[in-house]
Amino acid sequence: MILVTGANGQLGTVLTIALKERYGNDKVLASDVINKGNNTGLFEIIDATDFNALQHIVKKYKVSQIYHLAAILSAKGEQNPILSWEINTKTLLNVLEVSRLNKVEKVFYPSSIAVFGQNAPKENTPNNSILDPETVYGISKVDGENWAQYYYKKYNLDVRSLRYPGVVGYQSLPGGGTTDYAVDIYHKAVIGNAFSCFLKADTKLPMIFIDDAVRATIELMGAPEHQIKIRTSYNISGVSFTPKEVAEEIQKQLPDFRIIYKPDFRQDIADNWPESVDDTKAQEHWNWKPKYNLSTITDIMLEKLKEQYKRAI
Ligand code: AKB
């Protein structure tokens, strides 16, 4: 059985469906702290900060793989640093330790571009750049990457990890991140509202389309073990853009769309992150290659969201 924690989240929602398509409906157990009732298959409420609760489910379902997506993201993290630290680090340690004790075969751990800080190169940030993040989320991800490597080296637990850029998708909403604007902007455009952006017009950040993010995860987890040579985490890149560039791309199809800029505390977070990352290692080790650019992302986002909003009327 494959267990997904944080299955209600932006990535969890779509990854759970993709895993079911690949491995079968009855082979994937979705879990989160609440049941939103929109899961068609197996679902369990799990608070991954509770070691016993997690272990009970792993034993009950004979779990062999865990995709541990539950986490508090960068912006929300800054509003409650201690709680975010506790949730992000405790849940990962529980997942790793439960996996070790119950002979789980593989664990996926999502890291982030948030591991980088001011002293890493801004453009094409290499995989092995200095990691000096300034958000509690980023600190917890650096910590998590090192724990992942520790469990691999010390206990031979097959933990694999990606540093996700901001994920852009139409199927689910992000929550609590700094890159969330890049989803929200499309929703506002489609419903005909102006968009108030919490980042400055020229803030360039690495992003990835959800289909690429899900495919990268499944490809990394499916690669033969000898190809996984980085046990902290792999940079993966999709595309980099600024709010102004997305707005201009949207305006090609919706010329009346307007954007205004009202930077808030999230600007400081974004200013410390890379503008683009170098994913040569992922390309070389397990053949990673993104498919989507800003233009194709915009076409799909506008088309799919128009359909969704039409259906909702
Ligand atoms: C966030 O903005 O916090 C996340 C991330 C880049 O990890 N989307």
Side-chain angles (χ1 to χ4, degrees):
M1 180 70 71
I2 296 173
L3 170 66
V4 182
T5 73
N8 291 344
Q10 184 197 16
L11 187 63
T13 309
V14 187
L15 182 64
T16 301
I17 295 168
L19 289 170
K20 283 180 185 167
E21 279 166 11
R22 196 176 175 94
Y23 298 105
N25 253 336
D26 56 342
K27 295 281 185 297
V28 181
L29 171 64
S31 77
D32 212 308
V33 283
I34 53 163
N35 188 352
K36 285 188 180 165
N38 55 356
N39 263 290
T40 48
L42 295 165
F43 187 92
E44 288 276 358
I45 292 183
I46 305 179
D47 174 356
T49 61
D50 181 342
F51 181 90
N52 292 329
L54 180 66
Q55 175 152 263
H56 171 70
I57 296 295
V58 166
K59 281 184 189 296
K60 180 175 162 191
Y61 288 90
K62 298 189 174 47
V63 169
S64 59
Q65 290 191 29
I66 304 181
Y67 290 72
H68 175 48
L69 304 182
I72 306 282
L73 300 187
S74 59
K76 202 161 167 213
E78 291 313 284
Q79 288 160 342
N80 199 338
I82 303 297
L83 181 71
S84 305
W85 175 258
E86 275 171 16
I87 290 178
N88 289 359
T89 54
K90 183 118 186 49
T91 58
L92 174 64
L93 278 181
N94 283 348
V95 165
L96 293 173
E97 192 56 6
V98 165
S99 297
R100 177 181 79 83
L101 293 172
N102 295 278
K103 309 222 169 331
V104 170
E105 287 158 20
K106 275 188 203 171
V107 174
F108 176 74
Y109 174 62
S111 187
S112 161
I113 53 154
V115 292
F116 298 113
Q118 272 205 333
N119 291 307
K122 272 257 166 228
E123 275 177 49
N124 283 327
T125 312
N127 217 99
N128 64 355
S129 294
I130 180 168
L131 304 180
D132 56 353
E134 292 185 18
T135 58
V136 69
Y137 173 66
I139 300 170
S140 74
K141 288 297 178 191
V142 174
D143 183 74
E145 289 186 4
N146 284 315
W147 274 112
Q149 177 166 258
Y150 182 88
Y151 267 75
Y152 173 71
K153 287 195 169 165
K154 188 150 176 136
Y155 303 118
N156 208 21
L157 178 61
D158 190 355
V159 194
R160 305 179 181 195
S161 174
L162 296 174
R163 290 176 181 149
Y164 291 113
V167 177
V168 183
Y170 56 90
Q171 302 96 323
S172 50
L173 289 170
T178 304
T179 56
D180 294 9
Y181 91 85
V183 175
D184 212 13
I185 190 169
Y186 288 106
H187 283 263
K188 293 292 184 303
V190 166
I191 58 179
N193 287 355
F195 179 62
S196 175
C197 186
F198 56 73
L199 297 180
K200 289 185 199 154
D202 59 351
T203 310
K204 191 168 172 191
L205 288 173
M207 301 281 180
I208 191 166
F209 189 52
I210 187 98
D211 292 22
D212 271 345
V214 166
R215 185 170 53 84
T217 311
I218 290 179
E219 284 179 6
L220 173 82
M221 289 298 275
E225 198 171 339
H226 70 270
Q227 284 180 233
I228 310 302
K229 296 178 187 140
I230 294 180
R231 288 293 177 168
T232 49
S233 193
Y234 279 97
N235 283 2
I236 48 160
S237 88
V239 54
S240 284
F241 54 73
T242 67
K244 186 165 180 276
E245 285 165 347
V246 198
E248 284 169 359
E249 201 60 41
I250 292 173
Q251 282 159 348
K252 287 183 190 165
Q253 295 190 46
L254 301 169
D256 293 337
F257 174 64
R258 292 286 162 268
I259 182 166
I260 52 166
Y261 299 97
K262 288 196 177 160
D264 66 15
F265 72 99
R266 288 168 278 196
Q267 186 65 47
D268 285 345
I269 300 177
D271 286 344
N272 279 301
W273 286 355
E275 293 188 349
S276 58
V277 293
D278 174 5
D279 62 5
T280 311
K281 296 285 177 210
Q283 290 174 33
E284 286 172 1
H285 295 179
W286 45 277
N287 302 321
W288 167 242
K289 199 172 173 5
K291 285 191 181 151
Y292 297 88
N293 59 29
L294 180 56
S295 153
T296 48
I297 292 174
T298 303
D299 287 348
I300 299 172
M301 288 298 285
L302 293 179
E303 186 196 321
K304 296 286 183 187
L305 289 178
K306 275 180 200 162
E307 283 168 20
Q308 274 178 26
Y309 281 104
K310 213 179 272 167
R311 273 202 303 272
I313 293 170

